Amino acid sequence: MTWDREGAERAVAAAVADGMDFIEIALLDPPSADADHSRSLLEEAGLSAVCSLGLPEAVWASHNPEGAVEFLKVAIEKTAAMGGLALSGVTYGGIGERSGLPPTQQEIDNVAKALQMAAGYAKKAGILFGIEPVNRYESHLINTAAQGVAMIEKVGSDNMFLHLDTYHMNIEEKGAGNGILDGRDHLRYIHLSESDRGTPGMGTCDWDEIFATLAAVQFSGGLAMESFINMPPEIAHGLSVWRPVANNHREVMDQGLPFLRNKAKQYRLI
């Protein structure tokens, strides 16, 4: 729920117990993270890490690019200090950011300005910097792989990458495979999330299409299981998650995780 010392210790121990290769850290409050403590935990556990976030409303890049950059700069510094490989997520805006209209050119230009500066900081810090397209109910800015690619190419930073999510793709793409094909040149990371954000393999995502296309484009980036059971209220509100999407934590880990691992092995991705 919170990446404080106690939460970090609990999460890292659980990741080790379930045989994870890496962990994704929700860095919602970057200044409060104890980077040295997190780095020690990760090194001792032999885990890699990726950090992710969405921007608070006060610093949404669409209308406050300078504020967004200052927030992202702290998150980048914390990610690097933890030994993280990348900062990604809705780095271009808020989770639940909707104007009620299509994005304006000014909004797109503001986002590109913020991302270019943030990517520059990330490069100096030695980490990669990603953007994750999310569905229309969570943002009006970047919803598809093609839009994500357009933004990355507009920014032009060589350490930027595309971060896809099968839950969002299930809503926005004309087939998840097409989204993967659209993003293939920049795709380095993917959230493997079920159609209801619950236990992978128990929803309507076409996992064979997803894994077959990843194999076809010779994907070699991060395969991250994402399932929401417990989450901070601000994230639950932004994601519009009002009920449990899985019976419990163990169902996700004992059924969903092996399901995804078996699919990844079947398609020779691991």
Side-chain angles (χ1 to χ4, degrees):
M1 294 284 280
T2 304
W3 195 262
D4 54 16
R5 290 174 69 96
E6 181 183 356
E9 290 169 5
R10 184 169 58 249
V12 169
V16 170
D18 283 300
M20 294 287 191
D21 298 308
F22 71 96
I23 189 169
E24 182 174 320
I25 298 168
L27 202 59
L28 303 178
D29 182 18
S32 71
D34 186 333
D36 291 339
H37 177 255
S38 295
R39 187 181 192 114
S40 295
L41 286 174
L42 293 167
E43 288 179 349
E44 184 176 347
L47 284 176
S48 300
V50 171
C51 292
S52 64
L53 52 74
L55 299 177
E57 185 171 358
V59 294
W60 284 352
S62 59
H63 65 258
N64 184 3
E66 293 80 10
V69 171
E70 288 306 308
F71 186 90
L72 289 167
K73 186 177 179 181
V74 176
I76 287 163
E77 290 169 350
K78 291 287 186 174
T79 300
M82 289 180 187
L85 303 175
L87 176 68
S88 191
V90 191
T91 51
Y92 53 86
I95 300 171
E97 178 182 358
R98 298 181 300 274
S99 69
L101 296 168
T104 65
Q105 189 60 51
Q106 185 62 61
E107 287 178 320
I108 294 299
D109 290 345
N110 283 346
V111 168
K113 176 183 176 182
L115 293 178
Q116 184 175 48
M117 293 182 69
Y121 284 124
K123 188 169 185 177
K124 289 178 183 177
I127 66 170
L128 299 174
F129 185 69
I131 59 172
E132 177 188 8
V134 296
N135 72 76
R136 66 192 73 183
Y137 309 109
E138 294 180 30
S139 175
H140 70 293
L141 295 169
I142 301 176
N143 304 134
T144 66
Q147 287 178 302
V149 167
M151 179 57 72
I152 289 170
E153 294 183 349
K154 180 179 177 69
V155 172
S157 298
D158 61 9
N159 65 322
M160 279 191 71
F161 65 91
L162 182 67
H163 164 181
L164 291 180
D165 183 310
T166 55
Y167 167 80
H168 300 298
M169 297 169 74
N170 194 50
I171 297 170
E172 297 295 344
E173 304 288 355
K174 298 186 186 301
N178 284 327
I180 292 167
L181 292 174
D182 286 345
R184 63 189 299 173
D185 292 338
H186 299 281
L187 180 60
R188 300 291 180 272
Y189 194 66
I190 187 165
H191 278 166
L192 303 172
S193 185
E194 192 48 91
S195 57
D196 64 349
R197 298 188 186 270
T199 304
M202 293 188 176
T204 61
C205 282
D206 190 332
W207 292 107
D208 286 302
E209 176 186 0
I210 291 163
F211 279 97
T213 313
L214 288 172
V217 302
Q218 298 182 310
F219 178 78
S220 60
L223 297 162
M225 182 178 74
E226 184 181 58
S227 178
F228 293 105
I229 300 175
N230 300 311
M231 67 188 84
E234 65 269 25
I235 297 298
H237 178 269
L239 300 179
S240 298
V241 175
W242 316 119
R243 59 180 174 77
V245 292
N247 289 323
N248 51 57
H249 167 77
R250 289 291 1 138
E251 177 184 273
V252 174
M253 303 308 291
D254 294 341
Q255 298 182 47
L257 181 58
F259 173 83
L260 292 176
R261 280 189 172 137
N262 287 338
K263 284 293 179 187
K265 289 176 182 177
Q266 178 185 349
Y267 288 96
R268 301 180 182 179
L269 290 167
I270 60 173

